[in-house]
Amino acid sequence: MRSHPGGEAHTRRMLELAGLPAGASVLDMGAGAGETLALLRALGYVPRGIDLAPRGAGVERGDLLHAPYPDGSFDAVISQCAFFVSGDQRGALREANRVLRPGGRLLLSDVFFEEPERLLRSAGFDLLRAEDETAEWREYYLEAIWRGDAPCCGVPGGKSGYWILIGRKE
Ligand SMILES: C[S@@+](CC[C@H](N)C(=O)[O-])C[C@H]1O[C@@H](n2cnc3c(N)ncnc32)[C@H](O)[C@@H]1O
């Protein structure tokens, strides 16, 4: 089972949209099994990853809502299908902003129950790019429910969408 909608193709698309230079330091918040970390390393980035329940090589145990790094530690933060799951999407965005250097990039794919651009701005990011991946997410989520391992439970009612967003710390 892919652990985020779109799998590796989505990760590559996010990197393409963000245009990060090789050698950039990248924190994966909610890194899970470490697949994205391995890809980042193979592409010449300097990645670190934290997760409440690490399930792969190189993923450190850590809470993305209280990341164990000083302010301005990273050139970029990537997070895929983890901020909403954390139960505090706004808090996660604020924490991503805190650990980024000024001008640092946010590469986020997540489910949203409110307008994504407004949410990013409220956490101190300019929105650079946005792609609506709701159709992919629906397919992924239905498949996950069918298998009995849907990552998000207790979702509120109302209209939702799944987006890739590239932000820049103001
Ligand atoms: C759907 S999985 C996605 C994993 C990974 N980003 C990927 O795409 O393969 C969501 C992940 O978020 C992690 N997570 C949820 N809340 C967290 C928190 N507060 N701090 C760190 N990780 C958290 C879960 O343990 C899980 O590994």
Side-chain angles (χ1 to χ4, degrees):
M1 155 107 195
R2 294 164 297 153
S3 41
H4 60 261
E8 183 179 318
H10 250 185
T11 310
R12 289 183 179 274
R13 179 65 181 149
M14 292 167 82
L15 291 167
E16 184 186 333
L17 289 171
L20 288 184
S25 57
V26 186
L27 176 64
D28 186 351
M29 295 173 75
E35 287 141 352
T36 293
L37 282 188
L39 178 64
L40 289 168
R41 209 169 286 118
L43 294 174
Y45 299 109
V46 183
R48 298 191 74 162
I50 54 170
D51 200 288
L52 275 187
R55 296 182 297 287
V59 183
E60 297 160 59
R61 191 173 301 278
D63 184 351
L64 64 82
L65 298 171
H66 306 279
Y69 306 104
D71 297 358
S73 298
F74 294 95
D75 297 317
V77 162
I78 188 166
S79 187
Q80 300 164 292
C81 207
F83 281 7
F84 184 79
V85 177
S86 78
D88 184 3
Q89 194 176 39
R90 282 177 185 277
L93 280 165
R94 282 195 300 272
E95 192 62 354
N97 190 277
R98 184 187 69 75
V99 298
L100 277 171
R101 66 165 172 76
R105 295 295 196 265
L106 172 69
L107 288 66
L108 178 63
S109 81
D110 208 5
V111 59
F112 294 91
F113 284 82
E114 55 189 296
E115 211 273 305
E117 181 166 7
R118 200 172 50 219
L119 191 60
L120 243 64
R121 285 197 188 288
S122 74
F125 291 101
D126 291 327
L127 180 63
L128 300 180
R129 304 289 299 266
E131 290 192 351
D132 186 350
E133 303 292 346
T134 306
E136 177 87 39
W137 179 65
R138 276 200 202 108
E139 186 186 314
Y140 169 89
Y141 197 53
L142 284 173
E143 191 184 307
I145 289 170
W146 196 254
R147 287 166 179 265
D149 58 2
C152 311
C153 39
V155 295
K159 188 166 160 37
S160 61
Y162 194 97
W163 291 76
I164 284 177
L165 303 175
I166 307 298
R168 180 181 51 215
K169 179 171 175 171
E170 287 165 354

